[in-house]
Every structure is written in C-alpha cells, then in structure tokens.
Amino acid sequence: MSRCRRGVSPPAPGIALEDLAELRRWFDGYVRDFYFDDPARQRNIALKEEHTHRVVDAMSRIAAGIGLSAHDRAIAEATALFHDLGRFRQYRDHGTFRDPESTNHAALGLRELAAARILHRFDIADRRQVCEAIFHHNRRFLPERLSERSLLFCRLIRDADKLDIWRVFDEYYRAGERNPVVELGLTESGYVSGRIMDCVLERRIPNYLDLKTTEDFKVLQLSWVFDLNFGPSFAMLRERGYIDSIASYLPGNEKTRRMLARINDFVGVRA
Ligand SMILES: [Fe+2]
C-alpha cells in the first residue's frame, strides 16, 4: 500500500547530477532562439554560450576539489549553467552586456528561468539555492545576511565565473581584437588611472564606474583575485597563467610592477 494519502503529492526530488544533461539540453535550445544571422552580433552570443559551458566545467572542478556531496555538486553545476541566462535576452533587446545601460542580467535570467518553469519539478530548497546564487553572482559585494549554505553557492559561482572571464579576456587580448562590447566602450590611453591603481595596492576591487581607460579595465580584471574564495580556484588561476598574461598588456612601469607583486603574493599563499 502506498504511504501517500490520496491528494498528498510526494515530495519534489532534489537536483541530481543525472539531471544535468537534460538541463543542458534545455539551455542549448533556449540559446539557439537568440542566434543572429549577422556574424558580428552572433559572435557575442557565441561568446556567452561558450562562457557558460566553461563555467560549468570550472564549477565541476572546484566543487569536486572542495569535496562537495553529489547533491551539492548538482546544485552548483545547475547554478553555473543558468548563471548568465539573462545575457542572451539582454544582448538581443539592448545590444550590450553593460548592465547599467540596459538591465540587471542576473535578475533577467531569473525571470526567464521562472517563465520556462525548467526547475519547477525540483525541491523548493534546491531551486531557491540556485536562484539566490544566480541573483548575487554579479554583485560587487555579497550581502552579510546570507546563510552559510547560500554563501557557499554564491562564492562557488563567483569563483567559477571569474575563472572563465579571465580566459575570455586572455584570449581576446592575445588575438589583438577590438570589440567595443567586450571593452565596455572604453578607449586605450597607455596609462592606468591613479585611483584604480591605488585601489589594487590596497587589495580592493575598483568600482566599474571609476574605469576611464582599457588599461583600467585590465587592472580591474586582475583585482578580481581579491574576491576569489577556494583553494582549487587559486590553483586553476595559477596553472592557467591568466594574471601574468593579462598583465603583459599593461604599461610596464614601477607602479605596475608593485601592483603585480601585490597580486601574485596574494595568489601564491592561497594556491
Ligand atoms: Fe553574469
């Protein structure tokens, strides 16, 4: 005899690693609806699509590296898969990835996810965990009121996301391309603003609103190390050599060298 009384539904299942393939298929179909015929605009969609898959890979490695359970790894990977879902509609509707000029892509992604009801069959606690981490993934700082468990998933997605954003910029600089969408419309000047440099020397992450040049933006990218959380993330950063590579495109002067020494010391003791 069934233990469920008539009219009482069984509890919704938690997200499991076996569900990831189906979620990934849904994601791939969703993104295909945003493809452009115009190669220049399609390049920006493809950039975010590839970014997502690589963030899932980085997340899988970090989550395994810190010994998360299979259930928590599934939550972490689902978060990674959907963290930038809002990017596609943001770009189609506004032609930019700059949130202040368009819309908060995290909140937009959550609205898209809710409308598609793709996570609705899962346990509400797991859904909330995924949505909360997505909501906070692009914030400058995490709020203090979060629970330990929420903080864990927020920190995981922020690490995995950064690791792949470093790859995107590293490849971009190596290719010597110029794409105003990637460079936030900033222009090259050959110097780093004093305010940005001082921020990094104090081990702080500069504010996007203070960026004046493409060099400032490169320094901002390097400063993200101060918001990296887990040993495996530092190990991956070091192994991939992103810091030295991005730094090689900055003007070489004493202040830059001091800043890099500060960053490399910070990474060295944590990797
Ligand atoms: Fe994002």
Side-chain angles (χ1 to χ4, degrees):
M1 201 175 103
S2 165
R3 290 170 63 199
C4 292
R5 282 181 300 150
R6 190 194 286 232
V8 177
S9 1
I15 303 175
L17 284 171
E18 298 73 51
D19 296 313
L20 262 296
E22 183 205 330
L23 295 180
R24 204 182 269 246
R25 272 195 298 278
W26 177 83
F27 173 85
D28 291 343
Y30 173 89
V31 174
R32 266 196 298 276
D33 282 347
F34 291 87
Y35 281 4
F36 286 96
D37 290 331
D38 167 29
R41 283 191 289 175
Q42 175 55 25
R43 191 171 61 147
N44 290 318
I45 294 291
L47 195 88
K48 291 296 175 190
E49 188 176 14
E50 189 187 354
H51 166 67
T52 294
H53 291 306
R54 291 191 187 241
V55 171
V56 174
D57 291 345
M59 179 66 103
S60 164
R61 201 171 143 189
I62 302 166
I66 62 169
L68 283 194
S69 68
H71 176 222
D72 284 356
R73 275 164 50 205
I75 295 174
E77 288 185 26
T79 302
L81 183 62
F82 297 132
H83 82 285
D84 261 354
L85 198 70
R87 285 300 195 191
F88 306 98
R89 186 169 290 279
Q90 177 188 39
Y91 188 69
R92 185 171 78 185
D93 293 353
H94 304 277
T96 180
F97 292 132
R98 290 197 77 160
D99 285 13
E101 286 171 14
S102 52
T103 188
N104 179 336
H105 73 276
L108 176 59
L110 290 177
R111 288 197 295 276
E112 292 291 283
L113 209 48
R117 299 180 63 83
I118 187 71
L119 293 177
H120 275 60
R121 69 182 176 89
F122 296 112
D123 174 43
I124 184 80
D126 287 4
R127 280 159 50 193
R128 282 204 182 118
Q129 216 62 256
V130 169
C131 292
E132 193 161 28
I134 292 173
F135 182 72
H136 293 296
H137 88 272
N138 59 335
R139 292 204 157 191
R140 195 156 168 241
F141 303 110
L142 285 174
E144 285 175 13
R145 59 170 173 80
L146 295 177
S147 68
E148 273 306 306
R149 188 159 166 78
S150 291
L151 268 179
L152 167 71
F153 292 107
C154 286
R155 288 177 173 147
L156 280 165
I157 185 58
R158 289 164 73 93
D159 276 23
D161 196 16
K162 282 189 190 72
L163 280 164
D164 195 64
I165 296 174
W166 274 315
R167 174 199 59 88
V168 169
F169 283 112
D170 186 31
E171 287 181 1
Y172 174 77
Y173 298 135
R174 280 172 195 269
E177 293 173 69
R178 301 318 301 257
N179 178 346
V181 176
V182 176
E183 299 197 10
L184 309 179
L186 297 163
T187 50
E188 197 171 341
S189 68
Y191 69 90
V192 177
S193 309
R195 189 170 185 173
I196 301 292
M197 190 69 90
D198 291 344
C199 224
V200 176
L201 289 172
E202 292 162 17
R203 293 186 171 178
R204 289 187 293 115
I205 299 178
N207 192 327
Y208 267 89
L209 299 175
D210 290 330
L211 300 180
K212 297 205 165 27
T213 68
T214 54
E215 289 83 356
D216 288 352
F217 190 29
K218 286 177 186 130
V219 172
L220 173 85
Q221 290 154 21
L222 298 179
S223 77
W224 290 333
V225 298
F226 303 132
D227 188 38
L228 212 56
N229 299 284
F230 300 101
S233 314
F234 281 100
M236 285 162 78
L237 171 63
R238 203 145 89 155
E239 168 191 309
R240 296 175 180 187
Y242 295 142
I243 297 298
D244 288 343
S245 181
I246 293 173
S248 71
Y249 298 97
L250 284 172
N253 57 42
E254 186 47 36
K255 222 166 178 186
T256 309
R257 276 187 285 279
R258 268 178 55 214
M259 177 194 71
L260 277 177
R262 189 68 48 99
I263 287 172
N264 281 322
D265 287 351
F266 188 86
V267 174
V269 295
R270 289 165 177 82

